Amino acid sequence: MSHRSRACTALLAAALTLAACGNKSATTGVLKAAAVDGARIEAADREPGNWLSYGRTYDEQRFSPLKVVDADNVKDLGLAWSYDLPTAHRGQESTPLVIDGVMYVTGAWSKLFALDAKTGALKWQLDPKVPGRAAVNACCDVVNRGVAAWQGKLYLGTLDGRLIAVDADSGKPAWEVNTLQPGSRATITGAPRVVKGHVLIGNAGAELGIRGYLSAYDADTGKLNWRFYTVPGDPSKPFETPALEKAAKSWSGEWWQPGGGGPVWDSIIYDSKLDLVYFGVGNSTPWARGKDQPANSDQLFTSSIIAVKADTGEYVWHYQTTPRDQWDYDADSPLMLADLNIDGAMRAVIMQAPKNGFFYVLDRATGELLSADPYTATNWAKSVDMKTGRPVIEPAANYSANGGVFMAMPGPGGGHSWQPMAFSPVTKLVYVPVMEAAFPFIAEAAPKHRELGWNTGVDFNAGSLPQDPKVKAAIKAGLKGHLAAWDPVARKEVWRAELGRPWNGGVVATAGNLVFQGNSNGELVAYRADTGERLWSSPTQAAVLAAPISYQVDGEQYVAIEVGWGGAFGLAAGELARDTHIASNLPRVLAFKLKGTASLPPLPAVEPMVLNPPPDEATVVVVTHGKWLYHSYCSTCHGDSATGTGVLPDLRYSAALGGAGLWSQTVIEGLREMNGMVSFKLELSPADSDQIRAYVIHRASEDKKAEAAAPKSH
Ligand code: CA
């Protein structure tokens, strides 16, 4: 600890106020923006008015010690201010930082905004000018989850893979590096963390064939200090580390050709006592496995939690949640540190509720598995063998070898994905936003490498939503979500709040015995942390994915949330997504305080859209092939079965359906590349493009007929 930070900590302890420590220039007395360092993050509880890093503290419990707002007075919470994000009406996933009265929040397309945390007034904004074509590399929307702060700079990862250091006073870039390897189709959507002057960042893209890694850049200069590859490279070349040499024994075939996968796209966390960095790793490429692949092919370190030394990135331990992951069960979900009394002894643990449906508690010094229990319905594995640490996988789940369909619970959206969970040291409960959405896994008969689009080996066309109304209704009935309060010691759910809809927001817990969560119904809700009783809600005019934070300015406690819907499920799930969130999708930051009197403007009037497709005259053969092409190249963004989801253009209503000209200019020539709709001319011929158009016309016609037949609602 430096002199300055030690003095800073002492001053903070004495003053117990927010602001000013270590960030006042000696010569001018002017506050220096974002003057955050490790000592300050370590002592974050002494300045509960601030939110200094992604999960507030290094342990990322997302617990605010503030209690001006509590279970008794939360009914008086009202809007203090709102800020309309000048960005696309797409997924907004950012956790804001609040440092000495300034909020730093990101939006879609990796845009960064500095706002006055008391008023919402814009101080500056930075548009990193992500090219529209980067959107096609994003599995899960053009989202960004936030920045890190360190010694006057902010660190922003961009969708096209750059890491930018930004002067927190001016909003001007200080340095910029490309974190991607040449030709890589990876993206950055996660928030960097800074540990001991290392800016830590990974990337996303397992579905597109990348080789995953976590990088550490020097916070001052942008120099690469170390990089940990999560999967071994070409074995004809020397392995980078002994850990990778060992890991290579768990692979078969020519895994390095498509890249192997193993992306570090969200969780990165630091334990200062053990001086370890932990991070989550995603699935391998592709999802589906060849029938001839040996059963012992675990594919390390995919779908694993890894611990490395903070200064060097040297391997310490790993725990693989899903060996030979065939179901997109990334272990990238948020990680959280806590000290828990387990069997009469205090244990320093790390916890995760990854997509695979099990809640894991590990000893964080050794990686020893302490418990693993299903936090939601799981049918791919009933339990985890505590002796081996391996899931007991159901034979039916091995769809690649079995052929046919495996209706997996959880689906690839996960029982819980990136949406932050929270832990209250008061209730000793972990609050997990849970998603219930099954998915039909069917291996592609002839897996095809695609230059653009997903290389999952899974047949999205065969698994697309049937148009039979009864089948549709049955599938929709199984689509739900809830907020679970999980006791990680007793290993059971203590309460749950049903949400009805699956794809909801992250969570914050507070010392006021409250848990806040935004949801797809377009509301921010406060629950009693100990019982789950719903105490308060406010409309948000958009469905919510991001997690709220709480902070304090001039003695007033605020609860802030970024709203705006999209993300993986929000784009890809077609009708299932379209019908499970409110229609309006106005991207904003909202801040609430007791007796806040601001209000949101009335919702703009929306002209009802009328389905009016050209005549459906194509042959069954053309429509069938068009359907296959659509689900191979288009559905990830425009939605299953060409239904749209209310986020990106619903193609059934497209004016371009009227003729091959405009349609082809868009699909083949890239007319709308600036919006993220790239040219598919490497992939699709003009005839292919026209067959997709024929399929969309067919779908629009089907739905127009169904609308005409349905009873009118008033
Ligand atoms: Ca994945």
Side-chain angles (χ1 to χ4, degrees), residues 226 228 276 307-317:
W226 54 259
F228 185 99
L276 296 179
V308 300
K309 292 184 181 166
D311 285 323
T312 60
E314 189 187 335
Y315 169 91
V316 177
W317 59 256

Side-chain angles (χ1 to χ4, degrees), residues 66-91:
L66 296 172
K67 49 187 175 187
V68 174
V69 180
D70 62 23
D72 291 328
N73 63 21
V74 69
K75 62 182 185 305
D76 297 326
L77 209 56
L79 189 67
W81 56 261
S82 66
Y83 175 73
D84 286 24
L85 288 162
T87 180
H89 293 210
R90 301 185 63 156

